[in-house]
């Protein structure tokens, strides 16, 4: 079956995590890089930032898109994203990261991105109508409270 | 009114963009950094990566979380994220970025992240039950096709 979308983006809300791990930039970087390896994605580069008095942000750029985490050790919460256009569903890697962080409860939101039939349709419309249609970008909006 | 969540994450699907802009890493970096400035967030660091034969990934870490973009010039598509725990809703900045990229059609998905009442509830449960409850992280899952 042909692919229907370019990628899968998992957005995870991690609650009741281990605050010491959430405040350790080296350990968090190591956990994300291991997850990238396990998910068979290719790491391009990464940034880790420790905030004062607490909190870590880590971003891993992968050839297939990105992995990001932002942590709030004081409330044992972390916001994790794993977005990949590779062949592997990142959900398994997200669960592994959650486990490493001692997560007690997690909400996963999964979005498929880059709807291929929609991309083709809009390319076709643009080819037919040229650039004459200078309307401002139309936006459909969906909202979710995680 | 007290804040109900820590941050807002806008996920945008950009269709029918200008392929030359989508393939220009310097310009894309400049557009994201300008958007960060306009949205009054603080840039910590950034990574831009140009892929061959085409495509750009750019990630901007901000004190308030992150801005990311991944582009497919050959199909005039880009996947944009702006996640901030600052006071400003990032939707305006996302629309500005879309405009700069010559976007013809856009889908915006907006998620509020870090539900404060849920965070407090789980912290309270953990305090009452200790670490005895060693269940694997429960996960509620939501799926959306953008």
């Amino acid at each position: 079956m042909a692919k229907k979308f370019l990628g899968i983006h998992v957005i995870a809300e991690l609650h009741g995590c281990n605050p010491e791990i959430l405040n350790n930039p080296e350990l968090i970087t190591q956990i994300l890089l291991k997850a990238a390896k396990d998910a068979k994605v290719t790491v391009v580069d990464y940034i880790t930032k420790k905030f004062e008095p607490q909190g870590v942000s880590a971003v891993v750029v992968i050839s297939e898109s990105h992995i990001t985490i932002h942590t709030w050790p004081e409330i044992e919460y972390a916001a994790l994203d794993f977005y990949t256009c590779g062949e592997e569903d990142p959900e398994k890697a997200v669960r592994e990261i959650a486990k490493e962080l001692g997560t007690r409860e997690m909400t996963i939101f999964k979005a498929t991105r880059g709807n291929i039939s929609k991309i083709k349709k809009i390319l076709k419309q643009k080819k037919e109508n040229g650039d004459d249609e200078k309307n401002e970008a139309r936006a459909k909006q969906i909202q979710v409270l995680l």
Side-chain angles (χ1 to χ4, degrees), chain A:
Chain A
M1 203 176 70
K3 233 174 153 184
K4 289 188 178 167
F5 44 81
L6 296 174
I8 299 176
H9 188 159
V10 171
I11 292 182
E13 300 278 289
L14 277 45
H15 292 272
C17 304
N18 181 322
E20 285 178 21
I21 301 174
L22 291 192
N23 210 27
N24 184 330
E26 292 78 20
L27 192 49
I28 285 179
T29 306
Q30 194 182 313
I31 291 169
L32 294 195
L33 293 177
K34 186 180 176 300
K37 196 178 170 192
D38 291 347
K40 299 185 184 71
V41 296
T42 305
V43 173
V44 170
D45 202 353
Y46 62 91
I47 295 168
T48 307
K49 166 78 179 170
K50 171 79 170 68
F51 294 95
E52 293 304 333
Q54 71 263 314
V56 172
S57 280
V59 167
V60 180
V61 179
I62 55 176
S63 294
E64 298 81 1
S65 289
H66 67 255
I67 313 171
T68 63
I69 193 166
H70 306 283
T71 77
W72 282 256
E74 71 279 23
I75 50 171
E76 304 182 357
Y77 164 79
L80 172 67
D81 288 67
F82 197 141
Y83 170 31
T84 171
C85 299
E87 292 306 313
E88 302 263 330
D89 184 328
E91 186 179 331
K92 195 180 155 197
V94 162
R95 289 183 184 273
E96 195 51 43
I97 296 167
K99 203 174 157 187
E100 296 283 344
L101 300 176
T103 305
R104 193 184 185 94
E105 197 163 323
M106 171 165 65
T107 304
I108 284 182
F109 169 80
K110 196 186 275 190
T112 49
R113 301 184 75 172
N115 181 328
I116 290 172
S117 66
K118 186 169 180 177
I119 288 170
K120 284 185 180 165
K121 192 182 123 197
I122 295 170
L123 278 175
K124 190 167 169 272
Q125 282 173 349
K126 200 171 169 182
K127 205 177 167 189
E128 286 169 1
N129 304 339
D131 270 337
D132 294 339
E133 199 183 326
K134 288 277 184 200
N135 297 326
E136 197 179 334
R138 287 183 292 272
K140 189 175 77 177
Q141 191 169 315
I142 311 162
Q143 189 158 353
V144 164
L145 182 73
L146 289 177

